[in-house]
Amino acid sequence: MTATAENGTGGQPMQKPAVVSADAWEAARKQLLVKEKAQTRARDALAAERRRMPWMAVEKNYVFEGPDAKVGLFDLFEGRHQLIVYRAFYEPGVFGWPDHACRGCSMVADQVAHVAHLNARDTTLVFASRAPQAEIARLKARMGWSIPWVTITDSFDKDFGVDEWHGTNVFYRDGERIFRTYFINNRGDEQMGGTWNYLDITPLGRQEVWEESPDGYPQTPTYKWWNWHDSYVPDAAPDKKWVEVSDAGEAAFRAESANEKP
């Protein structure tokens, strides 16, 4: 039997789930957990398939306005191998201009985790719009955003499917050559913002040993590379104390997971 409650909108009463005992609630949680774990495994398998997608060579020299000077697509990598570019709509004609960017794009920006964690996985995140740099700088200051953000000056948005709608493109730098490796848009990139979601759409993935990746892909022990966002040091060995803590946590997690298997 379900209970009802007013939904506060003046419409029909909200149909609320049944209220049950602690034991019944835990049984329902474990029943749902079976499906949730299946979804997690399916997500990991999809990410593994994504790492095997073919690459498309980028032959055109795209130019952007950066905070200090003009920069090319190659420069946006900042020396790293992976680049994620989100096309944010902030320009004349967009609702909110010039005080705000698109509401949806602004929500995405609000959700972006500290980019130091992506940088530690050889990945750079950049937002790109057609607004002048002066307006972008003003907007970032007002909204509290620190994401690298450049101005599109050519056909980059049209060439990569983001001239009329938002979208996220992923690129890989192999020496001097650049390749497009993935693209996601519409509802697909509404989940973007978290470090793991971003890494899962890159060709190298999270780069941890548990992932199913092609031979030769960089992988390090799970959890060991994690750090405070102000404490990453390039090529540093994992902190010994953190190794002990993470090993203990992983052992406890795996023991609990084994007990929860259906």
Side-chain angles (χ1 to χ4, degrees):
M1 181 176 182
T2 59
T4 62
E6 293 297 329
N7 61 16
T9 64
Q12 294 295 317
M14 186 176 77
Q15 297 297 310
K16 298 173 66 178
V19 177
V20 300
S21 68
D23 288 343
W25 185 91
E26 186 63 24
R29 185 193 75 87
K30 289 184 176 180
Q31 185 176 18
L32 185 60
L33 185 61
V34 174
K35 295 180 179 180
E36 290 175 336
K37 287 190 173 183
Q39 183 186 42
T40 298
R41 289 189 289 269
R43 183 193 65 198
D44 292 340
L46 185 61
E49 186 173 348
R50 197 179 287 126
R51 290 191 288 277
R52 290 165 171 80
M53 270 193 60
W55 295 358
M56 183 191 81
V58 178
E59 307 292 358
K60 187 172 179 178
N61 294 320
Y62 294 97
V63 177
F64 306 85
E65 287 284 353
D68 303 313
K70 289 184 180 294
V71 292
L73 183 62
F74 184 90
D75 301 308
L76 298 187
F77 284 83
E78 295 183 342
R80 302 181 183 97
H81 285 95
Q82 301 191 131
L83 171 66
I84 301 170
V85 181
Y86 176 73
R87 201 302 194 202
F89 276 84
Y90 178 51
E91 58 202 56
V94 172
F95 177 69
W97 172 266
D99 295 328
H100 286 99
C102 158
R103 289 184 177 182
C105 295
S106 297
M107 286 186 69
V108 172
D110 281 337
Q111 296 177 81
V112 172
H114 202 290
V115 297
H117 304 294
L118 286 175
N119 296 165
R121 292 279 90 177
D122 199 16
T123 305
T124 300
L125 173 67
V126 175
F127 275 39
S129 299
R130 284 197 170 272
Q133 277 297 299
E135 294 292 347
I136 290 174
R138 183 195 57 76
L139 179 69
K140 289 174 63 176
R142 171 176 178 164
M143 302 299 286
W145 297 329
S146 58
I147 313 154
W149 202 315
V150 296
T151 301
I152 301 168
T153 67
D154 49 30
S155 61
F156 175 86
D157 47 4
K158 184 175 182 179
D159 292 350
F160 292 104
V162 288
D163 56 325
E164 296 181 355
W165 199 240
H166 63 85
T168 303
N169 278 281
V170 184
F171 302 92
Y172 186 84
R173 179 184 63 80
D174 187 8
E176 299 295 316
R177 301 195 67 192
I178 297 174
F179 301 89
R180 187 191 196 195
T181 65
Y182 191 67
F183 174 65
I184 189 169
N185 64 356
N186 297 323
R187 286 198 62 197
D189 66 354
E190 70 180 9
Q191 64 178 327
M192 292 294 106
T195 301
W196 304 125
N197 283 335
Y198 277 129
L199 290 177
D200 282 347
I201 65 171
T202 64
L204 299 183
R206 304 185 187 191
Q207 302 162 56
E208 295 185 337
V209 293
W210 63 269
E211 286 184 308
E212 208 282 290
S213 293
D215 292 342
Y217 274 45
Q219 291 184 316
T220 60
T222 307
Y223 309 128
K224 304 304 181 287
W225 64 273
W226 294 9
N227 210 336
W228 298 291
H229 74 247
D230 65 348
S231 300
Y232 283 109
V233 177
D235 302 319
D239 180 85
K240 291 183 179 180
K241 183 60 178 179
W242 173 239
V243 171
E244 295 175 5
V245 170
S246 60
D247 280 347
E250 184 175 7
F253 166 76
R254 295 195 181 282
E256 180 181 356
S257 296
N259 292 333
E260 288 180 342
K261 283 185 178 180

